[in-house]
């Protein structure tokens, strides 16, 4: 077992491709989040009458920092199990599982981020975990979510195109 771990560490440092894949995936997702932030503003422009280009670029820069932190939290398992040197890392089933894990978790988060674009005019704040408190007496929260997605099918199409 110790020899397998040594071999795994040796392969890890000989092949930096795993690190490059993680970095590349993160850069793509951060680009998509930035595009959704621009789309958020474009869709909700009338709600921000005092916006200037300087303020907008400041928001975009702060958004990048927020997105990076959020992506690390969302993808912590993916990062650890993809970059951790061990003998199973080179098995096709293992890499496929983490590939799909990355796409599904980030796809869901992207969909929720996109939903925020259409939800903001109703609440005048970004969606957070407080939405569950806000709708605690609502018995059909999932139905409302699905109805919002069906009414704004074009948004689901955009998220699908990104992935």
């Amino acid at each position: 077992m110790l020899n397998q771990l040594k071999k795994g560490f040796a392969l890890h440092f000989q092949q930096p491709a795993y690190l490059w894949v993680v970095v590349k995936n993160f850069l793509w997702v951060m680009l998509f989040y930035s595009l959704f932030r621009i789309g958020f503003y474009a869709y909700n422009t009338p709600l921000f009458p005092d916006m200037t280009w300087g303020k907008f670029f400041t928001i975009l820069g702060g958004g990048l920092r927020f997105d990076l932190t959020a992506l690390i939290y969302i993808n912590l398992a993916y990062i650890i199990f993809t970059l951790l040197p061990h003998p199973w890392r080179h098995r096709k089933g293992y890499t496929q599982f983490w590939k799909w894990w990355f796409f599904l978790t980030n796809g869901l988060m992207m969909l929720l981020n996109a939903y925020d674009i259409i939800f903001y005019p109703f609440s005048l704040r970004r969606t957070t975990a407080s939405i569950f408190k806000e709708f605690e007496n609502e018995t059909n929260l999932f139905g409302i979510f699905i109805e919002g997605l069906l009414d704004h099918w074009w948004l689901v199409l955009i998220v699908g195109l990104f992935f």
Side-chain angles (χ1 to χ4, degrees), residues 126-146:
R126 298 296 300 251
T127 303
T128 62
S130 66
I131 191 171
F132 296 109
K133 179 77 173 151
E134 188 174 326
F135 290 103
E136 67 185 352
N137 295 325
E138 186 64 50
T139 58
N140 192 17
L141 186 58
F142 184 73
I144 292 171
F145 179 75
I146 296 299

Side-chain angles (χ1 to χ4, degrees), residues 96-157:
Q96 288 291 64
F97 172 80
W98 287 108
K99 176 183 173 184
W100 282 103
W101 177 275
F102 180 83
F103 281 114
L104 292 176
T105 55
N106 287 289
L108 177 62
M109 291 301 126
M110 190 93 38
L111 187 62
L112 292 174
N113 191 29
Y115 193 79
D116 207 21
I117 294 171
I118 57 174
F119 182 71
Y120 184 81
F122 300 105
S123 66
L124 295 180
R125 60 192 172 109
R126 298 296 300 251
T127 303
T128 62
S130 66
I131 191 171
F132 296 109
K133 179 77 173 151
E134 188 174 326
F135 290 103
E136 67 185 352
N137 295 325
E138 186 64 50
T139 58
N140 192 17
L141 186 58
F142 184 73
I144 292 171
F145 179 75
I146 296 299
E147 185 177 329
L149 291 178
L150 291 175
D151 289 345
H152 298 87
W153 57 269
W154 52 270
L155 200 53
V156 177
L157 181 65

Side-chain angles (χ1 to χ4, degrees), residues 11 13 21 25 32-33 47 50 58 67 74 99 102 106 108 116 129 132 140 142 144 148 159:
L11 286 172
F13 292 112
V21 168
N25 287 343
F32 295 153
Y33 273 108
L47 299 173
D50 297 334
T58 301
D67 293 344
I74 292 166
K99 176 183 173 184
F102 180 83
N106 287 289
L108 177 62
D116 207 21
F132 296 109
N140 192 17
F142 184 73
I144 292 171
V159 171

Side-chain angles (χ1 to χ4, degrees), residues 22-34 37 63-79 101-102 105-107 109-110 113 163:
V22 171
V23 168
K24 184 179 68 162
N25 287 343
F26 264 65
L27 289 174
W28 276 111
V29 174
M30 288 191 64
L31 172 68
F32 295 153
Y33 273 108
S34 294
R37 188 168 285 107
L64 286 174
R65 287 194 312 254
F66 176 83
D67 293 344
L68 181 60
T69 304
L71 284 174
I72 289 171
Y73 283 127
I74 292 166
N75 293 293
L76 195 56
Y78 170 76
I79 293 167
W101 177 275
F102 180 83
T105 55
N106 287 289
M109 291 301 126
M110 190 93 38
N113 191 29
F163 275 88

Side-chain angles (χ1 to χ4, degrees), residues 37 51-65:
R37 188 168 285 107
M51 184 65 68
T52 64
W53 283 107
K55 287 181 187 179
F56 184 68
F57 285 119
T58 301
I59 289 170
L60 287 179
L64 286 174
R65 287 194 312 254

